[in-house]
């Protein structure tokens, strides 16, 4: 009997049948700290090899409207990376995600409820951090994200589907928030006037990067777009970046988006959802550490203007994420997973506090 934990109402048993596992399935357990998909660790027992793990994920199709396109992007990019890893003598099963195919040779399984599932090989002997423990870890993650963008420089960007339109279009995120304020679906607007005022004062800032893009001052690149620290695995022994995961939002974007999103999450003294704001500060020393690692990893591809845009990436990705959390709070928490009533509000507040401190630092 397979032990299944945290999958009430989902067709896990049916999904398990769709795959040829390399052993007897023992356990399926909810896993990780992602805000979007439903992630499970599947443990199989093999008489020769012992325990073998897999990652099983139900794709969030209310967010990723065309899951087939998400999978096409992921398979395209990981196939491309796999070739490069093999050429340099690396281990492709640890250094990029491997989509494990169904019995029918498909990259995903659509269950009888219409939900989309995928399986990845589990990246073994690696850690996934929720916060920086040692600056060196942040440096290594920066190097990996920088070199990820560098390697994808030759990837045909036109082949990528836009899995979430306007994902990092900060003015659009601002407008979405204003629409949520107008609707006030949950009657929560009155309690967040202070936060809204802070954001309204920064309306003009929201346009900074999109304008430079429009004016062709900044080039579009193939970017990850969700570069927080728990979307990279570090080798348990060497602590070096081994594999970049969560490839759902790989799309054309700006280097400043990837850089900024890492800073927003990693260069902070407290968790993204810390309710006690007195604990939340921007850590400028971690910022400098990340900058150094990112520039090293990106190599010589970044233009002068791109390098100059990185601090704006940090400010705007943080402001944007704060606006997204606040929008979700006002709309009734339908986007980000929450585990307490004011979770999204706490998240929004940490982001806005970080923005304010970044502004003082980058003045
Ligand atoms: P979400 O989109 O919900 O953030 P992720 O793809 O980031 O989902 O996965 C959630 C978590 O699961 C990650 O933060 C990581 O801890 C773990 N994870 C995902 N893929 C793998 C993998 N191939 N090997 C090991 N752990 C993984
Ligand atoms: C989500 O999927 P996850 O948890 O890695 C979100 C990011 C946000 C982040 C905030 C597809 O990332 O954009 O920055 O939460 N991903 C999506 O923690 O919306
Ligand atoms: Mg994730």
């Amino acid at each position: 009997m397979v032990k299944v934990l945290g999958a009430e109402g989902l067709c896990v048993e049916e999904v398990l049948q769709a795959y040829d596992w390399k052993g007897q399935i023992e356990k399926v357990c909810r896993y990780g700290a992602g805000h979007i998909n439903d992630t499970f660790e599947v443990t199989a027992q093999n008489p020769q090899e012992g325990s073998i793990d897999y990652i099983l994920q139900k794709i969030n199709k209310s967010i990723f409207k065309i899951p087939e396109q998400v999978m096409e992007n992921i398979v395209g990019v990981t196939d491309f990376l796999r070739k490069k890893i093999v050429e340099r003598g690396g281990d492709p099963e640890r250094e990029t995600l491997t989509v494990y195919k169904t019995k029918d040779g498909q990259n995903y399984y659509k269950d009888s409820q219409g939900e989309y599932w995928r399986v990845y090989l589990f990246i073994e002997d690696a850690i996934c951090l929720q916060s920086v423990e040692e600056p060196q870890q942040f440096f290594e993650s920066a190097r990996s994200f920088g070199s990820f963008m560098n390697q994808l420089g030759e990837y045909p960007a036109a082949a990528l589907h836009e899995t979430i339109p306007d994902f990092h279009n900060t003015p659009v995120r601002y407008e979405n928030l204003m629409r949520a304020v107008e609707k006030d679906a949950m009657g929560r607007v009155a309690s967040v006037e202070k936060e809204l005022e802070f954001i309204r004062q920064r309306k003009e800032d929201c346009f900074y990067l999109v304008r430079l893009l429009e004016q062709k001052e900044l080039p579009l690149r193939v970017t990850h777009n969700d570069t927080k620290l728990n979307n990279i695995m570090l080798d348990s022994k060497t602590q070096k970046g081994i594999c970049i995961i969560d490839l759902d939002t790989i799309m054309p974007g700006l280097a400043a988006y990837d850089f900024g999103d890492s800073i927003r999450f990693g260069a902070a003294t407290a968790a993204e959802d810390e309710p006690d704001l007195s604990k939340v500060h921007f850590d400028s020393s971690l910022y400098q550490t990340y900058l150094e690692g990112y520039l090293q990893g990106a190599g010589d591809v970044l233009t002068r203007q791109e390098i100059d845009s990185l601090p704006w990436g940090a400010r705007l990705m943080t402001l944007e994420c704060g606006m997204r959390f606040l929008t979700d709070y006002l709309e009734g928490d339908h986007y980000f997973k929450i585990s307490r009533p004011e979770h999204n509000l706490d998240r929004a507040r940490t982001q806005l506090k970080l923005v304010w401190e970044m502004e003082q630092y980058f003045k």
Side-chain angles (χ1 to χ4, degrees):
M1 184 64 186
V2 181
K3 204 154 89 189
V4 181
L5 298 170
E8 295 71 24
L10 303 178
C11 300
V12 168
E13 306 281 350
E14 179 194 331
V15 180
L16 293 179
Q17 295 300 320
Y19 288 86
D20 249 336
W21 308 94
K22 291 192 187 138
Q24 185 75 32
I25 301 295
E26 225 176 28
K27 216 171 55 186
V28 180
C29 268
R30 201 168 265 276
Y31 193 78
H35 294 342
I36 304 297
N37 296 303
D38 286 292
T39 305
F40 299 89
E41 177 186 25
V42 174
T43 309
Q45 282 302 331
N46 177 297
Q48 278 83 43
E49 295 174 51
S51 165
I52 305 176
D53 285 336
Y54 300 87
I55 285 285
L56 168 67
Q57 274 183 332
K58 179 167 82 67
I59 302 174
N60 187 328
K61 68 171 184 182
S62 68
I63 291 178
F64 297 104
K65 307 283 185 210
I66 314 178
E68 291 87 346
Q69 294 191 346
V70 173
M71 293 313 292
E72 245 181 80
N73 280 2
I74 293 175
V75 169
V77 166
T78 53
D79 281 352
F80 175 88
L81 292 173
R82 191 168 300 110
K83 281 197 198 107
K84 289 192 176 270
I85 295 164
V86 170
E87 272 165 28
R88 65 166 186 259
D91 176 353
E93 293 197 350
R94 285 191 81 222
E95 295 172 36
T96 189
L97 285 175
T98 305
V99 176
Y100 192 69
K101 290 189 192 302
T102 65
K103 285 176 182 167
D104 302 344
Q106 303 299 315
N107 293 318
Y108 60 87
Y109 176 72
K110 190 174 175 187
D111 75 18
S112 51
Q113 297 179 347
E115 298 293 348
Y116 290 74
W117 297 80
R118 65 183 166 211
V119 173
Y120 291 124
L121 296 187
F122 198 96
I123 312 295
E124 299 288 354
D125 306 314
I127 54 168
C128 176
L129 296 171
Q130 301 308 325
S131 63
V132 176
E133 297 160 346
E134 298 289 336
Q136 188 62 22
Q137 296 168 329
F138 204 37
F139 179 83
E140 295 298 345
S141 78
R143 242 173 29 146
S144 295
F145 277 119
S147 109
F148 184 80
M149 194 196 64
N150 182 318
Q151 287 178 61
L152 289 175
E154 292 158 33
Y155 192 78
L160 286 171
H161 303 285
E162 200 179 7
T163 54
I164 303 181
D166 290 321
F167 192 60
H168 283 311
N169 187 328
T170 314
V172 167
R173 297 296 190 175
Y174 180 92
E175 289 310 324
N176 291 347
L177 172 61
M178 292 307 142
R179 253 199 311 278
V181 169
E182 247 169 61
K183 259 194 164 169
D184 196 11
M186 309 297 292
R188 291 174 171 174
V189 168
S191 63
V192 298
E193 277 306 341
K194 212 172 81 204
E195 287 74 16
L196 288 171
E197 188 46 33
F198 180 91
I199 292 167
R200 284 195 191 98
Q201 284 167 4
R202 285 154 182 80
K203 180 174 180 183
E204 204 36 45
D205 288 355
C206 294
F207 290 89
Y208 187 85
L209 289 173
V210 294
R211 278 206 188 114
L212 289 178
L213 179 60
E214 265 165 34
Q215 293 158 358
K216 303 214 178 341
E217 296 286 328
L218 294 174
L220 262 189
R221 300 194 178 278
V222 173
T223 46
H224 181 282
N225 296 303
D226 189 2
T227 51
K228 61 179 170 175
L229 191 63
N230 62 18
N231 285 334
I232 179 169
M233 310 293 299
L234 304 182
D235 184 277
S236 314
K237 283 202 202 83
T238 64
Q239 304 271 303
K240 291 206 185 300
I242 183 90
C243 181
I244 287 172
I245 60 170
D246 201 346
L247 305 177
D248 296 337
T249 51
I250 287 202
M251 287 180 276
L254 298 178
Y257 298 159
D258 277 3
F259 176 83
D261 199 46
S262 294
I263 296 301
R264 146 193 107 65
F265 188 86
T269 55
E272 181 186 70
D273 60 355
E274 172 59 56
D276 179 356
L277 284 185
S278 70
K279 294 185 181 156
V280 180
H281 297 289
F282 171 57
D283 186 330
S284 59
S285 151
L286 281 178
Y287 173 84
Q288 290 300 337
T289 299
Y290 195 92
L291 178 62
E292 202 187 313
Y294 189 77
L295 294 178
Q296 216 181 84
D300 53 11
V301 301
L302 293 176
T303 65
R304 184 73 252 161
Q305 286 99 318
E306 272 180 305
I307 296 173
D308 291 345
S309 75
L310 298 179
W312 271 98
R315 284 168 68 160
L316 288 190
M317 288 304 97
T318 312
L319 178 63
E320 181 185 283
C321 201
M323 294 193 293
R324 293 174 63 199
F325 287 141
L326 193 58
T327 305
D328 201 31
Y329 178 68
L330 296 182
E331 290 178 345
D333 309 299
H334 60 82
Y335 188 97
F336 297 103
K337 287 187 195 306
I338 55 163
S339 47
R340 53 178 188 265
E342 300 205 331
H343 209 159
N344 274 318
L345 178 58
D346 290 339
R347 288 170 176 153
R349 287 182 169 146
T350 64
Q351 302 307 290
L352 301 184
K353 167 121 191 233
L354 291 173
V355 169
W356 191 81
E357 292 199 357
M358 284 179 194
E359 288 170 354
Q360 311 312 304
Y361 181 70
F362 294 128
K363 239 192 232 164

